[in-house]
Amino acid sequence: MSSSTLLRPICPEISIPWPRPTIQRSGKLLASYFHAFSVLSEQNVSNIPAAPQSALFAAAVDGSASIYALFGGQGTNEVYLDELQSLYDIYRPFVASFISTISEEILIPLAEEKQITSFYTHGLDVSSWLADPTSRPSVPYLASVPVSLPLIELTQLVQYLIVCKVTGHSQGIVSAVAASASTSFESFTENAKKALRWLFFCGFRGQEAFPVVSLEPSRIQDSIDGGEGGTPSPMLSSTGLTLKELQPHLSQTNKHLAENSQIHVTLHNGPRALVITGPSRALHGLVVNLRKVRAPNGADQSKIAFSQRKPVFSVRFLMVSVPFHSVYLSKATDKLLAEDLKGEELWKPEELRIPVFNTEDGTFYVFILLCSLILFFRC
């Protein structure tokens, strides 16, 4: 029997449906539950109602299932703080102190040390931004590599802290190693400090080595009109073409470029998922050439002989201002190791408690660990 049926004898002209669940309402309910759970736990109240045990985790404990934590790389530069805000709002009793420690002991001091640059004009007090969302800096500031690199890392570590085999891709390798080397909440915090420190310097040195350049408005508008994702950047994602199909277009474009402006495929995310890096103007030139051979969006080629059909693929500029995975950052890597870390190796192979897999060949990251982490910084 529905709620509206129960109401009819009293108010036959009124029907009051149950409220539909929404993401916002669900988040508030979860936040209230975890707040109450935390308060009762601190008061040592017994028999606190707990959430049902995860069937997946139970299966992992008895050996009938395996769990992998996958940490991604750059690409969420414009939305990562919304994700971190949601985690903070819902699980605040369990993550607030961790985020505060990272902010006060790592992010804020490091940003203050580099105030001579223009990269950290609004600092890195992420704890205050989460406590008061109205104090957030602008999206362009948050999306810049020197800021987004360490804060995406923080978001990933908070996710792992909540969920408590690890694998990582690109900057996610650092998150994977930090999680793998942790045996307690205390060691997790210490490893998180190392990870955030490393990625702070990575973002700083990367942007220092490859400054942001202003592009002509006509070039930006052309990219928008062409559907390539907006402002051209130093990293271009290609989906649908194999390396063999893409390489002739790269070679042709490189013939017209200076030696210090060459473009290269530097990431193989799949047989037909590639990333090309180089100066943004050079990549835009490649895009213009690729448009000539690409099938128009939604084109019906069913009545065209297969051998004569145009290839179907897409290209999109990544929201990244540094050409990671490329030789353009080789000098930046040397500075990071010698000047910032002063030769310190942050983790030793024997510290890894959970396998961290190389996403290229599936092997374990156990040898020359720090150099493995540098893979996303240079080839």
Side-chain angles (χ1 to χ4, degrees), residues 52-315:
Q53 183 181 18
S54 166
L56 176 60
F57 291 160
V61 170
D62 64 27
S64 60
S66 296
I67 299 175
Y68 287 81
L70 177 61
F71 300 101
Q74 289 272 293
T76 59
N77 303 42
E78 295 177 295
V79 298
Y80 68 86
L81 197 62
D82 291 334
E83 184 176 349
L84 183 58
Q85 184 74 60
S86 177
L87 295 172
Y88 178 85
D89 290 343
I90 294 173
Y91 303 101
R92 185 177 305 197
F94 307 106
V95 302
S97 62
F98 170 76
I99 294 173
S100 177
T101 298
I102 295 299
S103 293
E104 294 173 7
E105 297 185 18
I106 301 296
L107 297 175
I108 294 175
L110 287 175
E112 289 176 348
E113 288 178 11
K114 305 298 183 182
Q115 281 299 313
I116 192 172
T117 72
S118 61
F119 302 156
Y120 307 102
T121 53
H122 298 288
L124 284 177
D125 190 358
V126 65
S127 184
S128 294
W129 300 342
L130 295 174
D132 178 15
T134 62
S135 66
R136 274 195 201 184
S138 66
V139 171
Y141 178 79
L142 295 172
S144 66
V145 164
V147 174
S148 67
L149 212 65
L151 297 193
I152 288 175
E153 167 80 4
L154 177 61
T155 303
Q156 293 175 339
L157 293 174
V158 169
Q159 289 173 325
Y160 183 80
L161 179 63
I162 292 168
V163 174
C164 300
K165 286 125 207 201
V166 178
T167 185
H169 169 69
S170 190
Q171 78 165 88
I173 294 171
V174 187
S175 298
V177 170
S180 174
S182 301
T183 57
S184 64
F185 287 118
E186 290 75 16
S187 64
F188 179 78
T189 300
E190 293 306 310
N191 284 315
K193 291 179 184 178
K194 292 181 184 179
L196 268 297
R197 179 168 158 253
W198 193 92
L199 280 169
F200 173 89
F201 288 127
C202 185
F204 171 75
R205 291 300 182 187
Q207 197 69 83
E208 181 186 57
F210 204 88
V212 176
V213 297
S214 298
L215 296 174
E216 303 86 342
S218 60
R219 195 183 298 268
I220 296 173
Q221 189 60 50
D222 179 69
S223 177
I224 294 173
D225 295 341
E228 286 92 25
T231 304
S233 75
M235 298 188 77
L236 178 73
S237 171
S238 170
T239 305
L241 292 177
T242 64
L243 179 60
K244 183 178 179 180
E245 294 168 330
L246 182 61
Q247 190 60 54
H249 301 286
L250 265 69
S251 300
Q252 183 63 32
T253 302
N254 280 331
K255 287 181 181 179
H256 305 282
L257 297 174
E259 188 63 31
N260 62 355
S261 299
Q262 298 285 296
I263 57 179
H264 308 278
V265 172
T266 54
L267 270 180
H268 299 248
N269 292 333
R272 294 177 178 272
L274 309 169
V275 176
I276 309 104
T277 57
S280 53
R281 286 189 176 89
L283 289 179
H284 179 257
L286 171 66
V287 166
V288 172
N289 290 331
L290 288 173
R291 288 178 193 158
K292 300 174 184 177
V293 300
R294 181 178 62 192
N297 290 336
D300 181 7
Q301 301 189 82
S302 60
K303 296 181 180 180
I304 302 175
F306 188 81
S307 60
Q308 298 176 12
R309 294 178 184 177
K310 288 188 173 183
V312 178
F313 64 93
S314 64
V315 290

